[in-house]
Amino acid sequence: MAVTLEQARRVGYTCLKALLRFAFMVANNLVAIPSYVLYLIMLQPLRILDSKSFWYIEGVLFKWLLAMVASWGWWAGYTVVEWGDDVKAVSEDEAMVLVNHQATGDVCTLMMCLQDKGTVVRQMMWLMDHIFKYTNFGIVSLIHGDFFIRQGRAHRDQQLVLLKDHLEKYYRSRNRKWIVLFPEGGFLRKRRETSQAFAKKNNLPFLKHVTLPRIGATQVILKTLVAPQENGTPSGGDTVRKESKSKGLQWVIDTTIAYPKAEPIDIQTWILGYRQPTVTHVHYRIFPVKDVPAEPEALTNWLYQRFIEKEDLLTHFYETGAFPPPQGQTKAISREMTLSNLWLVAIQSLAFLSGGMWYCLFQYLYHCLF
């Protein structure tokens, strides 16, 4: 089939735009991430004298970095519409966020749609695959105190012990509020076949749009962070009691991400912007932690039920283009999530100005020393 001049122009424009966006992203990383690291190195005396203020400043810088990632998608026309419960109402409380996992773009989507949720972004902890540690953003996550979990049966028990130790050491000492995890333990396309085989063997529902979750990390988080009086567990031990101002983990936010036509956005698309503008839909349902069972078998059933409900939500979405209304209501209400272009430009400008400042400083020191 012959390519028309109009088609050739369109392809050429798309390639040029992707190239320019990639160049901008590289430049963005080269100035923003080193600046983040250098600012925190300079602030190490404050960390010793006033740890709370140090981690407050680190959280602000962390939020700005996540906003930069969000801006790459936002300016490409990848927007978000939100459904279900309004999570802003619990943004100042401690919460565990359970998310279905389809592609690398899921993390970028969350970075975007949580930007307008108050202090959440700067006070959240992420649980992510250990491979993420070796990406350009890995050093930032290491400093921020995120947890990198190694997948696989051979590592599972050890990783859960390490997770418990990590939470006790860093979660409240750095004033974290939300903890985000993907209980499926991998991307949908990689785990679906194995999950369906497991479901068939154990007489569990056949799931197409999600996979059966793994309980280990969820159980450790609940045991470590939930105050004893919330659900009858001795969770947290001295960790909770030492933090007299903390009420412990209070909410579980069940988050379901849906892409039109079940075509998820990956990180390459997010960066290069070659897909047409797309609206990603995010559904929230909030559960009080006191309603979450503590016993392993009951917790497993509860968590399975959440993902069975996700399956129903996604099936309805792919059939109708909208999530179903809450029980007892006749219409589901959606909310368009928005970001301020002026604010994003200001953050990007600050990043490049910071990069220039550090460059000039090191040039000056070099000339002074040599």
Side-chain angles (χ1 to χ4, degrees):
M1 181 184 293
V3 178
T4 66
L5 181 60
E6 181 60 31
Q7 288 174 326
R9 285 176 178 172
R10 192 179 301 118
V11 171
Y13 172 74
T14 301
C15 291
L16 177 61
K17 183 179 71 171
L19 182 62
L20 291 173
R21 284 177 57 87
F22 181 74
F24 176 78
M25 184 276 295
V26 171
N28 211 175
N29 277 271
L30 288 176
V31 296
I33 293 177
S35 293
Y36 166 88
V37 174
L38 290 169
Y39 277 128
L40 294 182
I41 290 174
M42 296 293 291
L43 288 171
Q44 286 305 302
L46 178 63
R47 182 178 180 179
I48 298 171
L49 297 172
D50 187 352
S51 176
K52 185 176 180 180
S53 295
F54 173 85
W55 289 113
Y56 175 88
I57 295 171
E58 185 279 333
V60 172
L61 296 174
F62 184 78
K63 179 177 180 177
W64 289 355
L65 287 179
L66 267 58
M68 292 177 197
V69 177
S71 72
W72 304 340
W74 181 258
W75 288 333
Y78 305 147
T79 57
V80 172
V81 167
E82 298 176 308
W83 303 74
D85 296 332
D86 184 2
V87 296
K88 287 183 180 180
V90 298
S91 63
E92 297 301 318
D93 299 332
E94 290 187 25
M96 176 173 63
V97 185
L98 307 175
V99 192
N100 62 314
H101 209 10
Q102 301 175 69
T104 49
D106 297 341
V107 174
C108 300
T109 296
L110 289 173
M111 288 181 178
M112 175 187 286
C113 65
L114 296 179
Q115 282 292 322
D116 67 343
K117 306 299 186 294
T119 61
V120 162
V121 175
R122 65 177 176 82
Q123 292 181 288
M124 70 195 324
M125 179 181 287
W126 297 75
L127 265 65
M128 58 192 74
D129 191 278
H130 79 288
I131 294 297
F132 193 81
K133 185 190 301 184
Y134 306 106
T135 66
N136 60 315
F137 212 77
I139 183 64
V140 175
S141 290
L142 277 170
I143 294 172
H144 184 69
D146 296 328
F147 184 77
F148 301 97
I149 192 163
R150 186 181 292 273
Q151 303 294 340
R153 186 175 299 177
H155 308 285
R156 194 168 299 161
D157 292 341
Q158 180 192 28
Q159 290 299 296
L160 295 179
V161 172
L162 292 174
L163 173 59
K164 182 178 185 297
D165 292 342
H166 185 88
L167 292 173
E168 290 178 340
K169 186 175 181 180
Y170 297 118
Y171 190 80
R172 294 206 170 90
S173 67
R174 299 185 181 185
N175 195 29
R176 300 295 174 243
K177 293 291 186 181
W178 284 20
I179 183 165
V180 182
L181 68 155
F182 301 90
E184 291 165 293
F187 297 137
L188 174 63
R189 68 179 185 276
K190 294 183 177 181
R191 291 211 61 244
R192 179 158 42 199
E193 187 176 340
T194 303
S195 176
Q196 290 173 347
F198 177 84
K200 183 177 181 180
K201 183 179 179 181
N202 292 274
N203 197 29
L204 293 167
F206 181 88
L207 305 177
K208 180 180 178 182
H209 305 302
V210 295
T211 65
L212 290 170
R214 294 168 176 169
I215 189 177
T218 303
Q219 187 176 27
V220 168
I221 291 168
L222 291 172
K223 282 187 174 182
T224 308
L225 300 182
V226 175
Q229 68 271 19
E230 290 292 346
N231 63 356
T233 69
S235 57
D238 293 338
T239 304
V240 173
R241 280 188 281 272
K242 285 179 182 178
E243 299 290 341
S244 58
K245 294 182 180 180
S246 173
K247 298 178 181 178
L249 201 71
Q250 298 176 66
W251 310 99
V252 175
I253 303 175
D254 186 26
T255 303
T256 304
I257 299 176
Y259 299 94
K261 300 179 182 179
E263 297 176 353
I265 298 176
D266 54 30
I267 188 65
Q268 298 94 321
T269 306
W270 193 269
I271 292 170
L272 301 177
Y274 49 77
R275 182 186 291 190
Q276 291 298 311
T278 301
V279 179
T280 301
H281 297 257
V282 181
H283 183 279
Y284 306 105
R285 189 176 177 196
I286 302 174
F287 295 88
V289 77
K290 62 183 178 59
D291 294 341
V292 180
E295 297 74 19
E297 184 176 351
L299 177 59
T300 299
N301 292 332
W302 185 89
L303 197 57
Y304 280 178
Q305 189 58 41
R306 300 289 72 78
F307 277 77
I308 292 169
E309 289 175 0
K310 285 180 183 291
E311 177 77 12
D312 294 338
L313 285 171
L314 290 168
T315 299
H316 189 280
F317 177 84
Y318 295 138
E319 290 176 352
T320 66
F323 283 111
Q327 189 174 9
Q329 299 184 22
T330 58
K331 184 179 180 181
I333 299 176
S334 62
R335 305 174 296 276
E336 185 175 351
M337 183 264 163
T338 60
L339 289 176
S340 167
N341 285 315
L342 181 61
W343 178 61
L344 294 177
V345 169
I347 290 174
Q348 294 286 6
S349 300
L350 179 61
F352 284 102
L353 287 172
S354 295
M357 178 195 72
W358 290 115
Y359 176 78
C360 292
L361 178 61
F362 283 118
Q363 284 286 93
Y364 174 77
L365 292 175
Y366 176 81
H367 287 299
C368 288
L369 293 174
F370 302 100

